[in-house]
Amino acid sequence: MIRVAIIAGVLHSGGKRNLIMEYYRHIDREKVQYDFICDSDSNGIPYDEIKSLGGRVYTVAPYKQLPLHMLDTYRILKKNKYDIIHAFDNTLNVFPMLLGKAAGIKVRISESISKGDKSEKKTFLKYALKPFSHWFATQFMANSIDCGIWQFGKKAYQQGKIEIFKTVINTNENAFDAELRSKTRKKFEWEDKVVYGFIGRYVDQKNPFFLIDIFKEIASLQKKAILVMIGFGELEEKMMKKVMEYGISDQIVNLGRRDDIKQFYNAFDAFLLPSLYEGMPVVGIEAQCAGLPIFFSKNITEETTACELAHYIGLERTCKEWATEIVSVVEKNLSSRRGFSNEVKKAGFDSVHESKRMQEFYYELISKC
């Protein structure tokens, strides 16, 4: 059996956790087993599920306490003598790659699952560490070509040094369910509403104030429109203040953090994601699988297109232009909802198939040592 140390960093509920767990759930765990090394300030570690699948969870000091963080991580790597270290922390991967090399781990995978925006203070560290992204890793990986090029460079991609493993979902579990749609809309009293949705963190990356600007314009065009927001984050209070100032409080439903997400993909009529940047967002694939039209900013890679439901609009366009285009598409699709799980599967986003490919790739890397 191959034992893999998964460097998860800060693991909250969201895209990174979903991506790692989808591969883990469907890999042959008699041949490949994961251990998770997570920062202690994580609030979304699925302890019970990992344990039930045969894995172990180790928590280490947060990366902001770098010396202690590295010492904790090194001790775990050295003690367990892993075959592979697979890090999902973007440019921060330089640290576990160094530690993996020091601990004698021959296969060291550095994976890029996101990009950055220079205008966002929190991504300063990403840019500062990017020149060192090649250091100490034996294999580069990314969940999209854009993410791979952003972190490791165009030359590395052209030379075939970056392996692409897409963001994946269980296409069968995320298929459209007409009964669940009806049940959820009745439960929340949305039966006569046009329901726009957002699922994600309330942080600068997601462009939440522009999201509210867009919806204000949508609300002026569709009196029965509501915006359902599911998430959490540091900007929540400022977002709600803006909602109050716009006088659209009665058309905003803020459900906070939730794990019962499937019902909402089915209940929504459209999904809005005007982010400043993303990797390959899980919500984008899940929405399309459930037959939900989704509107991305053009800053999000078009590799996220799994079927005809993906729409891209430039952030240079006004919120009114966004609203006009969105409403036009949504009104055409209100009476023709169906699932797109087969299309999503054929586009290569199915976790069952891709997990087998990941497993084979691990063995291929081991065989070359």
Side-chain angles (χ1 to χ4, degrees):
M1 177 191 286
I2 293 175
R3 199 93 196 181
V4 183
I6 298 294
I7 306 297
V10 181
L11 197 63
H12 298 319
S13 56
K16 178 166 64 171
R17 186 183 76 172
N18 292 346
L19 183 151
I20 299 170
M21 291 303 295
E22 272 305 303
Y23 278 104
Y24 187 34
R25 289 173 187 131
H26 298 98
I27 213 160
D28 185 343
R29 293 180 300 279
E30 291 186 1
K31 294 181 178 179
V32 177
Q33 189 52 259
Y34 284 176
D35 283 354
F36 288 71
I37 301 176
C38 308
D39 287 14
S40 60
D41 54 349
S42 301
N43 60 29
I45 303 172
Y47 288 99
D48 292 341
E49 183 177 9
I50 291 171
K51 184 178 179 181
S52 72
L53 296 175
R56 298 174 292 199
V57 176
Y58 297 94
T59 56
V60 298
Y63 75 85
K64 293 177 183 177
Q65 301 171 27
L66 191 57
L68 186 56
H69 172 87
M70 294 186 70
L71 181 59
D72 288 348
T73 304
Y74 175 74
R75 285 173 174 168
I76 295 165
L77 297 177
K78 188 69 175 176
K79 177 183 177 182
N80 291 312
K81 303 183 187 303
Y82 292 104
D83 301 291
I84 297 173
I85 178 172
H86 188 165
F88 288 82
D89 227 6
N90 300 301
T91 58
L92 282 171
N93 289 344
V94 65
F95 299 115
M97 294 297 99
L98 169 61
L99 298 174
K101 183 175 183 178
I105 301 174
K106 293 183 178 179
V107 178
R108 302 180 296 277
I109 304 171
S110 177
E111 177 152 4
S112 174
I113 61 171
S114 184
K115 298 190 290 185
D117 187 276
K118 288 182 178 179
S119 65
E120 187 183 17
K121 292 179 181 178
K122 286 189 174 182
T123 60
F124 171 78
L125 186 59
K126 279 187 179 182
Y127 280 90
L129 292 173
K130 193 159 70 157
F132 310 104
S133 290
H134 297 74
W135 289 17
F136 312 117
T138 61
Q139 177 64 54
F140 306 142
M141 191 179 287
N143 66 341
S144 73
I145 295 171
D146 274 4
C147 282
I149 291 174
W150 182 86
Q151 182 161 326
F152 304 114
K154 190 172 184 179
K155 184 177 180 181
Y157 176 71
Q158 291 173 335
Q159 292 176 342
K161 294 180 179 179
I162 306 171
E163 194 70 25
I164 306 298
F165 279 87
K166 294 181 179 181
T167 294
V168 291
I169 64 169
N170 186 317
T171 53
N172 293 327
E173 287 187 3
N174 284 278
F176 176 61
D177 184 332
E179 185 178 344
L180 181 59
R181 173 178 169 83
S182 178
K183 181 180 177 181
T184 305
R185 289 175 71 93
K186 184 176 181 180
K187 174 183 174 182
F188 288 94
E189 300 181 348
W190 297 338
E191 292 160 294
D192 66 337
K193 305 295 184 183
V194 182
V195 185
Y196 293 86
F198 168 83
I199 301 172
R201 290 171 297 126
Y202 303 154
V203 294
D204 286 325
Q205 174 195 342
K206 303 296 182 179
N207 212 3
F209 301 119
F210 189 56
L211 168 73
I212 293 168
D213 291 342
I214 293 168
F215 180 73
K216 177 178 176 287
E217 296 297 333
I218 290 174
S220 71
L221 297 172
Q222 291 179 317
K223 300 306 179 185
K224 291 187 176 182
I226 61 171
L227 173 63
V228 178
M229 300 190 303
I230 297 173
F232 66 99
E234 62 204 36
L235 297 179
E236 183 171 1
E237 187 176 335
K238 290 182 179 179
M239 290 165 62
M240 293 304 105
K241 184 179 179 181
K242 188 166 193 174
V243 166
M244 290 283 289
E245 290 171 353
Y246 281 162
I248 55 174
S249 298
D250 59 340
Q251 291 176 275
I252 300 290
V253 181
N254 181 16
L255 295 178
R257 170 185 267 154
R258 301 183 69 114
D259 289 320
D260 54 342
I261 299 300
K262 179 181 177 180
Q263 63 179 321
F264 298 106
Y265 288 121
N266 285 274
F268 293 165
D269 295 305
F271 195 106
L272 309 181
L273 196 66
S275 302
L276 298 177
Y277 65 93
E278 295 280 353
M280 182 179 282
V282 173
V283 292
I285 310 304
E286 290 174 337
Q288 292 173 76
C289 191
L292 183 61
I294 182 163
F295 298 88
F296 300 107
S297 77
K298 285 189 175 180
N299 288 25
I300 298 174
T301 177
E302 292 194 17
E303 296 171 74
T304 312
T305 301
C307 64
E308 64 194 54
L309 297 174
H311 305 270
Y312 298 84
I313 307 174
L315 288 177
E316 76 282 355
R317 295 177 64 185
T318 67
C319 52
K320 189 170 185 178
E321 289 174 323
W322 270 70
T324 301
E325 184 167 333
I326 290 167
V327 169
S328 174
V329 172
V330 169
E331 289 186 343
K332 290 177 183 177
N333 284 277
L334 282 175
S335 60
S336 59
R337 183 69 177 268
R338 73 172 181 87
F340 280 76
S341 57
N342 287 333
E343 289 89 337
V344 173
K345 186 179 293 186
K346 288 177 183 177
F349 294 99
D350 184 59
S351 52
V352 175
H353 178 271
E354 288 298 284
S355 294
K356 291 178 182 177
R357 190 166 73 90
M358 179 74 80
Q359 177 181 308
E360 292 168 359
F361 188 63
Y362 284 151
Y363 271 88
E364 181 184 337
L365 293 176
I366 289 290
S367 69
K368 292 178 180 178
C369 292

